[in-house]
Amino acid sequence: MTDRRRFLRDLGLAASGAFLAGCNRISQSESGARVLESAEWLTQRVQRIVSPSTALAREFTEADISPVFRPNGTTMPQTALYQSLMKNQFRDYRLGVEGLVDRPGEFSIDQLRALGERTQITRHDCVEGWSAIGKWQGTPLGALLAHVGVKESARYVMFHCFDEWGEDTPYYESIDITEARHPQTLLAHSLNGAPLPVANGAPLRLRVERQLGYKHAKYLRSIEVVSSFEDIGDGKGGYWEDNGYEWYAGI
Ligand SMILES: Nc1nc2c(c(=O)[nH]1)N[C@H]1C(S)=C(S)[C@@H](COP(=O)(O)O)O[C@H]1N2
Ligand SMILES: [Mo]
């Protein structure tokens, strides 16, 4: 069924008053389908129709780059592991890749770079009401996923970060496999032509350009391919989602 037909069907359900009941039923029978529980699902459908899953976020020119890319949230992870990697200029850094993949492993920045590179100048929008334009360079996440091989049951990619927001509460995020394979979804190692500053997520952060700032996980420690995220954190798919933000944060 096409997105449009599915959307029209869903609207029909909404009009008949069966929409929420129908969604709840689906979400109970399908693990990890929390997104179906709310109007968020509808938002995502509308978004995918207005701008299909392949649509690119707007890209800007060098002249548009903000003089300062404001850091936000964690700007210096305090964990011992991060601090020791930082002291050695991240030379020993490896991104863990685990979960529903054929070949899990650990990747240095150089190994990631060998898989592919993309540069893009985009606007970052934070829910707190500020924006900044920056030039990001990194490996398309899709290239890494193709390299490790994604299993059939995979639905989401989780991003586990070095920084903690409370005891044993690392920042984390998630996106679906379609978003993960979008050409502008990057594991970025550089901002404005230089290695990522610590404040902006060194040595590696996510860029997921069609969604709001909190989705762009900084300080990536590992990525995990999963079929459901209900057993991770409080089960809503991300640190801020566990604290009330929407999982699908389309701009
Ligand atoms: N690991 C981690 N990632 C994070 C955050 C954070 O606190 N920790 N903050 C998020 C928020 S709310 C925003 S707006 C952006 C800020 O990115 P910047 O510091 O490069 O501006 O990072 C996002 N990713
Ligand atoms: Mo943000």
Side-chain angles (χ1 to χ4, degrees), residues 120-141:
Q120 59 202 25
I121 302 174
T122 52
R123 195 187 65 212
H124 177 103
D125 297 312
C126 173
V127 278
E128 290 170 17
W130 59 271
S131 299
I133 293 176
K135 179 166 78 172
W136 303 98
Q137 192 181 344
T139 301
L141 177 55

Side-chain angles (χ1 to χ4, degrees), residues 49 57 89 208 237:
I49 289 161
Q89 284 76 51
V208 51

